[in-house]
Each structure stands twice: as structure tokens, then as C-alpha cells.
Amino acid sequence: ILNVEQSPQSLHVQEGDSTNFTCSFPSSNFYALHWYRWETAKSPEALFVMTLNGDEKKKGRISATLNTKEGYSYLYIKGSQPEDSATYLCAFRSNFGNEKLTFGTGTRLTIIP
Amino acid sequence: DGGITQSPKYLFRKEGQNVTLSCEQNLNHDAMYWYRQDPGQGLRLIYYSQIVNDFQKGDIAEGYSVSREKKESFPLTVTSAQKNPTAFYLCASSDVGLAGGIYNEQFFGPGTRLTVL
């Protein structure tokens, strides 16, 4: 079983502040790294798929970077808003069995108004 | 609207009973997946299927069974052999191969919370 870790487990951030959190994954046999946002009482929703070392993706105030050589990805949220409150999941896809995703435990983000 | 439905949202069963969780998708996806979530843990893969009439075990398949008789449907049975069945269960689907843009984004249903009494 592959080891995908996210830190911190939970985070409280004041509205308007920026924040970031980490996903660590195996640096070998990398195929893709997915980020999902999971709001309470809703389904997980795809944010980004990242595939190349050095990739940077952006969607509005949310962006992500990828370092496949050292096995980590950062998710950044600029100017946090209450609607950003959610659990953010990363999922690793390996070269072997790349039809499967291995999920991290998630970072639970709460924005304080 | 296209999407994935899971029913019921909440399910209660007595210990020792088998229970079947429903998952239906109208996204015309070939692949479907079942995950389990427990507090403090990530989503763990139970079973997945990439084509009708075929499925593979995931990381925690013991005590579960599935069928894939139709493209749209991938029911999960939690059997009495599953030692700790109380959990939140999520179903997902995706395209496969080039149809999914290679990286095969997974789309999730709303989940079923199963409580075994």
C-alpha cells in the first residue's frame, strides 16, 4: 500500500489570510497527483490534476505546485473566504496500476469570519 | 443532470446481516470505484471495475462483494464477514484510457453512512 500523507490534519485560518498545506507521496513511479475539495454534506470535487515536475496550476484564488523528484505538492489559498472551508484531499496515481488513486487523509480547513 | 447517485444516505443494520449499497451513474463512464472512509483515515479503495462484468479487489476488499452487470450500476454488498462495517462509503466513476484525458478524473457520489448496531 502506497503512503500518501497530508499536513497539517486541520487548520483554522482567519478570513482574508492566505494559507498553504502539503501532500507527500512516493517519489518513484509517479504518474499523476490529484487534488480534491470536499465540502461538508457534498461530494468530493476535483480541483487539479498535476502530472509534470514543476507543474503549477491555478483556479481563482487556489493554486498548486508539484515536485515529483522529492515527492510533494503544495496547495495555496490566497485571501481565504468562508466558502473555502472544506477538507482538501490529495490522491497519488502510480505508474503501476494507474487506474487507481491512493488518497491522503486530508487537510480540514476552517475559515474564521 | 449527469451524476452519481448513492442510496440510501443513511443505513442502519443489525450485526450479522448483509447489506447492499447502491451506486448508479449516468455519466457513461466505464470505470466505477468503491471507497470507505473512517475517522482520521483517507479514502481507502474497496473494489473497482473498469468494464462491465469485470472487477478487481482494492486495498481492503475482505468482507465485501460487488457486481457489475450494467455499465451504470456498481452495487456493494457489505457481508457479515466484514469485521468493522460501520463507516462512510463513497462511490466514484471515471472514464478510462484516452476517453478520460489519460488522467481519468474520478467523480464522486454523495456517500452512504452505514451504521451496524
Side-chain angles (χ1 to χ4, degrees):
Chain A
I1 294 180
L2 300 169
N3 193 28
V4 179
E5 295 184 353
Q6 291 187 246
S7 64
Q9 277 195 339
S10 66
L11 194 53
H12 289 75
V13 172
Q14 202 70 39
E15 182 177 351
D17 287 352
S18 297
T19 187
N20 64 84
F21 29 93
T22 310
C23 172
S24 302
F25 51 85
S27 56
S28 56
N29 302 313
F30 177 85
Y31 189 78
L33 193 282
H34 297 247
W35 280 101
Y36 286 85
R37 174 167 57 199
W38 193 0
E39 294 179 66
T40 303
K42 294 187 177 179
S43 308
E45 176 183 67
L47 282 173
F48 305 116
V49 180
M50 308 184 78
T51 56
L52 298 174
N53 186 44
D55 241 358
E56 288 190 31
K57 299 268 183 170
K58 189 174 179 182
K59 186 184 281 190
R61 294 178 292 98
I62 303 177
S63 60
T65 61
L66 180 69
N67 183 325
T68 61
K69 294 188 190 306
E70 295 181 45
Y72 64 84
S73 175
Y74 292 133
L75 191 82
Y76 300 89
I77 302 178
K78 188 177 174 182
S80 304
Q81 299 298 307
E83 60 265 29
D84 296 328
S85 294
T87 296
Y88 291 83
L89 300 171
C90 69
F92 172 77
R93 196 187 288 275
S94 166
N95 263 331
F96 297 107
N98 60 22
E99 67 278 9
K100 299 189 294 182
L101 294 176
T102 301
F103 282 84
T105 53
T107 292
R108 187 180 184 93
L109 175 66
T110 304
I111 306 303
I112 305 164
Chain B
D1 282 1
I4 302 176
T5 56
Q6 291 185 244
S7 60
K9 193 171 179 179
Y10 298 95
L11 191 53
F12 296 88
R13 278 294 182 270
K14 290 183 181 177
E15 197 172 336
Q17 288 182 334
N18 290 358
V19 60
T20 297
L21 280 58
S22 164
C23 178
E24 304 276 330
Q25 54 100 359
N26 61 5
L27 299 168
N28 200 35
H29 285 164
D30 283 307
M32 296 186 75
Y33 310 82
W34 273 106
Y35 293 93
R36 169 182 171 138
Q37 192 203 27
D38 295 281
Q41 298 205 38
L43 300 179
R44 292 185 291 165
L45 184 63
I46 305 172
Y47 268 99
Y48 65 103
S49 165
Q50 292 195 284
I51 196 166
V52 173
N53 292 323
D54 190 36
F55 47 83
Q56 287 78 41
K57 292 182 180 179
D59 300 318
I60 54 165
E62 188 176 346
Y64 298 98
S65 66
V66 292
S67 62
R68 186 85 188 279
E69 295 175 6
K70 297 188 298 181
K71 189 175 184 178
E72 306 79 30
S73 178
F74 191 40
L76 174 76
T77 297
V78 185
T79 76
S80 56
Q82 167 48 231
K83 290 183 171 47
N84 187 15
T86 294
F88 186 73
Y89 291 88
L90 267 177
C91 179
S93 71
S94 73
D95 277 315
V96 296
L98 292 177
I102 302 179
Y103 302 109
N104 301 334
E105 203 62 65
Q106 290 186 15
F107 294 80
F108 287 86
T112 292
R113 185 166 298 280
L114 173 65
T115 303
V116 175
L117 307 168

